[in-house]
Amino acid sequence: MTIPPLSPRETARRRLLEALRREGPMARVEIGQHLGMSPASVSDLTASLLDEGILATEEAGDQAAGLIRGRPKTRLFFAGTLGSVIGVWTGFNRIELRLVDSAGRNRASLHVERRLRNLGAEELMDVLAETIAAFAQENGASDVKAIGLACQGYVDTRDGIVAWSPVLGARDLPLASGLGQRLGKPVLMENDASAMAFAITQRNADLRSGRTACLMIGDGVGLGFLIQGELYRGARFGGSEFGHVRLRRSGPQCRCGGRGCIEAYLADYALHRDAQLIDHRPAPTLLLPGEEAMGAIVEQARAGDAALLNLFHAAGEVLGDAVGILIQTLEPDHIVICGPGTRAMDLLRPSFEAALESQTIPELRALATIHVVESSMDLLTEGVVMQSLRELDLDLARLKAA
Amino acid sequence: MTIPPLSPRETARRRLLEALRREGPMARVEIGQHLGMSPASVSDLTASLLDEGILATEEAGDQAAGLIRGRPKTRLFFAGTLGSVIGVWTGFNRIELRLVDSAGRNRASLHVERRLRNLGAEELMDVLAETIAAFAQENGASDVKAIGLACQGYVDTRDGIVAWSPVLGARDLPLASGLGQRLGKPVLMENDASAMAFAITQRNADLRSGRTACLMIGDGVGLGFLIQGELYRGARFGGSEFGHVRLRRSGPQCRCGGRGCIEAYLADYALHRDAQLIDHRPAPTLLLPGEEAMGAIVEQARAGDAALLNLFHAAGEVLGDAVGILIQTLEPDHIVICGPGTRAMDLLRPSFEAALESQTIPELRALATIHVVESSMDLLTEGVVMQSLRELDLDLARLKAA
DNA sequence: TCCACTTTATTCGGCTCATGAATAAAACAA
DNA sequence: TTGTTTTATTCATGAGCCGAATAAAGTGGA
């Protein structure tokens, strides 16, 4: 996105819109205080944003009046009438969709069970395009302006190319342009852990200052790393594939083809697979188990199943090692452990803490605060939608015409 | 340093001075092309810098004239008369010093053998202050304006505090203020790997774009990470302690107190110690061996000593794992392996490459270019001096008066 | 020697952007 | 009504940067 550096004006507009989407309706004075801008500047900026129909003003009397002296605030908010955006997450065998209006308000969401792995590139794009189009139609969304797509793997966010993915089994797949052609809309792409990290940091102002490393445990394990609230971008504008760091030289099989990756211990598919192996069940697959299946495993372990407890013990140890590497490599101010995998945090914690302590220098460990944020895949589609809306903000008025 | 955000003007001044120090004397047009500034802006900026005595102009006729048409360029350069700066590196049992003028020209350097470990805080600061003062006096440097100090460990670069160091055995040591009081000059601090990374990226423009991870192998192992040519700062404004990431659960002893750290395989002290153990020599110490001792070990291995070759094989494997972690976590555009330890790169390479390949995803590995830069500790003191001068640029005129 | 040509450097007017101060607006309170 | 309080807008100002015009300082050729 945004290849040419933004002008000061555009930067200011973005900051303003970002704050407004995050914090909800605000009066101009409040915006000024929030962003450290002078009232004059806010007035100027909002005037053009109102002009373009991106923002709208509250009707007089909407607020609890009568008690405060002085001229009442007129709060500004996103118009929400500039069309809608669809956020999509693609997993190994599941697609999650979410429809929001341009103000970021949720209008609909949907889970679809569909195995995506092993589809050819064209077939994959056809399936996704159909699923998205059907979802839009079912919900009467004729004003979709853009699609935001999050998936596992290394995503070139500038050109919308999946450079590599353990899930789609694709290499250098130009998913954004392929889907864009089929749907006739712009498609923005993001790594899934980055999308969730974005959503989480948007909700917590503390996490937007300094450096925040969000380790998402779910279908796979991913890392979203933010510096001063901005997503870190590696070479080719992708994020991190921290989940595929090999921690144990001959550990369990990972979906990336390697062995002993962090993900191969912690991800839902890994825990589910290993739990089935314990029970001598037949077909250990790499399919993503549902929340019920995972819940059952956790419950069984909590009930005292020794073999399962061992699994979680090993996983917790890997989590501790992983967080240790993050601490000593990046010295983040905040570490967030998030995603559906946090459902078993109680089981992971003892070995997690022991491993973390055994391998980090106390003085350095003390510099990072560790947060556990229980979050589901819903937060992920929220993240990708928020991120897409943010990228689109500057184009909203232009897209409105189209 | 520089807690309040710099004004646009100050940023431009810094960029200009930085370029000039890096590239050497340049004419105004050249500066403009180099930095993408209009001639008008360059003229304006240089006028005030000349005024303040920070820059000087070449005398007419200094260049090989006569061949070029048009008005001759008048090149600008650092005055070099605003005082000098001393750069210091502290190792386990060695101190390296370097004296430069404000133009960055080397005036003197010195190695001192002195064991710093196990000194009390006050004693350590006394020793350092005396060493620095004596060095300044011997070289008739009565115009020292600041000291730049690089050391291993986690350095709070804003407040000049050594939060933790395997070498100084100190915790939260306010070294900058302690030395500053003793010497009556400002002291700037930096992690040593960061200082070398800075020096290396200053010499190679390619490495200043995108993300560059410089792994320094020497006395210890450190990482300097730069984003768009700027040193990455973690919590508390320090760098990275990547050398103390534990790669092997029960590996050799490390100076940090842990086991199996990257450093415990690759650092000079580690190779030297393990080589001595092989020869059944008596006292395996953690002292930093000299270049001669290390050279002898490398020669012996090159001559075919199987036990030593095994050492280097294991070290190379660790290096491969380490670089693999960097690639999959940060996706840097460039990875630089540097420091005195590169002397044995030929011995490390086979197992390094095998380990790297076995644990990284080919598509991601392909995104990073790996550079090997043979560099000695001299480059390190150069780095810390350059970095200090850069930080001081804005204050040079002010310090001149003092 | 003088004039055209070339390249470098400076000056000047104008543009964008942000801001403080003054002013207007919209309420409440007396 | 009239003052008070708070919010929003307008306006003049200044910082910073730039393009264009101009000045400066040389070379080359008639």
Side-chain angles (χ1 to χ4, degrees):
Chain A
M1 307 298 91
T2 59
I3 303 124
L6 296 168
S7 72
R9 180 93 187 184
E10 284 172 313
T11 310
R13 279 172 64 114
R14 269 179 82 123
R15 285 219 307 146
L16 196 156
L17 291 174
E18 228 177 290
L20 215 48
R21 204 186 317 269
R22 215 169 39 214
E23 312 290 336
M26 275 194 285
R28 277 162 258 236
V29 251
E30 294 166 336
I31 295 174
Q33 286 159 7
H34 197 80
L35 299 179
M37 280 176 180
S38 70
S41 303
V42 177
S43 236
D44 191 20
L45 285 169
T46 52
S48 43
L49 289 167
L50 285 165
D51 231 41
E52 295 165 37
I54 295 176
L55 295 185
T57 60
E58 205 175 38
E59 285 309 302
D62 275 15
Q63 58 209 294
L67 295 163
I68 323 126
R69 299 179 56 104
R71 175 175 173 175
K73 303 172 198 254
T74 52
R75 294 193 293 175
L76 301 167
F77 52 90
F78 272 85
T81 54
L82 293 171
S84 50
V85 170
I86 293 179
V88 184
W89 175 72
T90 61
F92 199 87
N93 53 323
R94 207 164 78 200
I95 305 173
E96 307 240 7
L97 301 113
R98 169 189 291 253
L99 175 70
V100 301
D101 64 20
S102 62
R105 283 184 294 258
N106 201 11
R107 296 228 309 242
S109 53
L110 179 69
H111 309 240
V112 177
E113 295 288 327
R114 186 72 163 79
R115 188 152 178 185
L116 295 173
R117 175 90 185 191
N118 299 333
L119 293 182
E122 294 300 313
E123 211 181 345
L124 170 68
M125 292 194 275
D126 288 342
V127 168
L128 282 175
E130 281 161 27
T131 310
I132 293 166
F135 174 64
Q137 205 176 359
E138 276 165 34
N139 293 285
S142 56
D143 59 348
V144 175
K145 290 288 175 284
I147 318 290
L149 179 61
C151 66
Q152 286 177 59
Y154 198 72
V155 176
D156 179 331
T157 57
R158 193 188 53 178
D159 298 335
I161 295 170
V162 181
W164 171 83
S165 170
V167 165
L168 303 177
R171 309 252 139 129
D172 275 322
L173 177 71
L175 202 45
S177 66
L179 276 181
Q181 273 173 14
R182 283 167 174 78
L183 295 165
K185 324 253 181 225
V187 174
L188 304 171
M189 295 203 55
E190 189 57 83
N191 166 270
D192 62 351
S194 295
M196 183 169 278
F198 185 74
I200 285 174
T201 55
Q202 286 297 302
R203 290 180 169 202
N204 182 337
D206 272 0
L207 301 179
R208 289 197 301 277
S209 74
R211 291 131 294 260
T212 299
C214 293
L215 200 56
M216 180 180 83
I217 312 173
D219 189 9
V221 172
L223 174 70
F225 182 51
L226 297 99
I227 303 177
Q228 306 292 4
E230 286 297 315
L231 279 168
Y232 171 84
R233 303 286 182 200
R236 241 183 122 179
F237 308 95
S240 173
E241 282 304 317
F242 186 67
H244 297 284
V245 161
R246 188 186 63 179
L247 277 191
R248 306 279 184 262
R249 315 203 72 195
S250 53
Q253 181 70 41
C254 177
R255 288 188 302 190
C256 74
R259 290 193 158 277
C261 297
I262 294 171
E263 180 173 304
Y265 289 86
L266 274 167
D268 281 356
Y269 82 82
L271 288 165
H272 185 248
R273 170 195 63 191
D274 294 346
Q276 290 205 308
L277 283 174
I278 289 171
D279 288 350
H280 302 295
R281 300 266 189 78
T285 73
L286 294 177
L287 287 183
L288 172 61
E291 193 55 40
E292 327 70 49
M294 290 308 299
I297 294 173
V298 172
E299 281 312 318
Q300 203 180 330
R302 283 199 188 116
D305 183 309
L308 284 181
L309 282 173
N310 272 341
L311 271 191
F312 285 106
H313 178 86
E317 207 167 61
V318 164
L319 183 60
D321 286 0
V323 171
I325 292 178
L326 289 178
I327 286 182
Q328 306 228 142
T329 306
L330 296 170
E331 287 299 343
D333 303 80
H334 307 280
I335 289 178
V336 178
I337 300 172
C338 59
T342 52
R343 71 172 87 76
M345 203 59 211
D346 56 328
L347 297 171
L348 301 171
R349 187 155 251 142
S351 54
F352 160 66
E353 286 180 351
L356 180 61
E357 275 175 35
S358 82
Q359 84 152 317
T360 46
I361 295 153
E363 283 78 7
L364 305 188
R365 193 166 65 237
L367 297 181
T369 319
I370 296 178
H371 312 247
V372 176
V373 175
E374 298 200 13
S375 52
S376 69
M377 289 325 224
D378 278 353
L379 196 56
L380 205 161
T381 50
E382 181 185 311
V384 70
V385 159
M386 297 276 282
Q387 174 85 356
S388 300
L389 283 171
R390 196 172 83 133
E391 292 298 324
L392 289 172
D393 274 342
L394 297 177
D395 302 328
L396 275 180
R398 194 171 51 69
L399 283 172
K400 185 188 187 182
Chain B
M1 304 300 94
T2 59
I3 304 124
L6 296 169
S7 72
R9 181 94 187 179
E10 284 172 313
T11 310
R13 279 172 64 113
R14 270 179 82 123
R15 285 219 311 147
L16 196 157
L17 292 173
E18 226 176 293
L20 215 49
R21 198 176 335 259
R22 214 167 41 212
E23 312 289 337
M26 276 195 283
R28 278 162 258 234
V29 251
E30 294 166 337
I31 295 174
Q33 284 159 10
H34 197 80
L35 300 178
M37 281 176 179
S38 72
S41 303
V42 177
S43 235
D44 190 21
L45 284 169
T46 51
S48 44
L49 290 166
L50 285 165
D51 232 42
E52 295 166 37
I54 296 177
L55 294 184
T57 60
E58 204 175 38
E59 284 310 300
D62 276 14
Q63 56 209 295
L67 295 162
I68 323 124
R69 301 176 57 103
R71 175 175 174 175
K73 302 170 199 256
T74 51
R75 294 191 294 175
L76 302 167
F77 52 89
F78 272 86
T81 55
L82 293 171
S84 51
V85 170
I86 293 178
V88 183
W89 175 74
T90 62
F92 198 87
N93 53 324
R94 207 164 80 199
I95 306 172
E96 306 240 7
L97 300 115
R98 170 188 292 252
L99 176 69
V100 301
D101 64 19
S102 61
R105 281 184 297 257
N106 201 10
R107 295 225 314 238
S109 54
L110 179 70
H111 310 239
V112 177
E113 296 288 326
R114 185 72 162 84
R115 187 152 180 184
L116 296 174
R117 174 88 186 193
N118 298 333
L119 294 183
E122 295 299 315
E123 210 182 344
L124 171 68
M125 293 194 273
D126 288 341
V127 168
L128 282 176
E130 281 160 28
T131 309
I132 293 166
F135 174 66
Q137 205 177 0
E138 276 163 35
N139 292 285
S142 56
D143 60 347
V144 174
K145 290 289 176 285
I147 318 289
L149 180 59
C151 66
Q152 287 177 57
Y154 198 73
V155 175
D156 179 331
T157 58
R158 194 189 52 179
D159 298 336
I161 295 170
V162 180
W164 171 84
S165 170
V167 165
L168 303 177
R171 310 253 138 129
D172 275 321
L173 177 70
L175 203 45
S177 66
L179 277 180
Q181 274 173 14
R182 282 167 175 79
L183 294 164
K185 324 254 182 224
V187 174
L188 304 171
M189 294 203 56
E190 189 56 84
N191 166 270
D192 63 350
S194 295
M196 182 169 279
F198 184 74
I200 285 174
T201 55
Q202 285 297 301
R203 289 178 170 205
N204 183 337
D206 272 1
L207 301 179
R208 290 197 300 277
S209 75
R211 292 132 291 262
T212 299
C214 293
L215 199 56
M216 180 179 83
I217 312 173
D219 189 8
V221 171
L223 174 70
F225 181 52
L226 297 99
I227 303 177
Q228 305 293 4
E230 286 298 314
L231 280 168
Y232 170 84
R233 303 287 182 201
R236 240 183 122 179
F237 308 94
S240 172
E241 282 305 316
F242 186 66
H244 297 284
V245 162
R246 187 185 63 177
L247 277 191
R248 306 279 183 263
R249 315 204 71 194
S250 54
Q253 181 70 41
C254 177
R255 289 189 301 190
C256 75
R259 290 194 158 276
C261 297
I262 294 171
E263 181 173 304
Y265 288 87
L266 272 167
D268 280 357
Y269 81 83
L271 288 165
H272 185 250
R273 170 196 63 190
D274 294 347
Q276 290 206 309
L277 285 174
I278 289 171
D279 289 350
H280 302 296
R281 300 265 189 77
T285 72
L286 294 177
L287 288 182
L288 172 61
E291 192 55 39
E292 327 71 49
M294 291 309 298
I297 293 173
V298 171
E299 281 312 317
Q300 204 180 330
R302 283 197 188 118
D305 184 309
L308 284 181
L309 282 172
N310 272 341
L311 271 191
F312 284 106
H313 179 86
E317 207 167 61
V318 164
L319 182 60
D321 286 0
V323 170
I325 292 177
L326 289 179
I327 286 183
Q328 306 227 142
T329 307
L330 296 170
E331 287 298 342
D333 302 82
H334 307 280
I335 289 178
V336 178
I337 300 172
C338 59
T342 52
R343 70 172 89 76
M345 203 59 211
D346 57 326
L347 297 170
L348 301 171
R349 187 154 250 142
S351 54
F352 161 65
E353 287 179 351
L356 180 60
E357 275 174 36
S358 82
Q359 85 153 316
T360 47
I361 295 153
E363 282 78 9
L364 304 187
R365 193 166 65 236
L367 297 180
T369 319
I370 297 179
H371 312 247
V372 177
V373 175
E374 297 199 14
S375 54
S376 68
M377 290 324 227
D378 278 353
L379 197 56
L380 205 160
T381 49
E382 182 184 311
V384 70
V385 160
M386 297 276 283
Q387 174 85 359
S388 301
L389 282 171
R390 196 173 83 131
E391 293 298 323
L392 288 173
D393 275 342
L394 298 177
D395 303 327
L396 275 180
R398 194 170 52 67
L399 283 172
K400 186 187 184 182

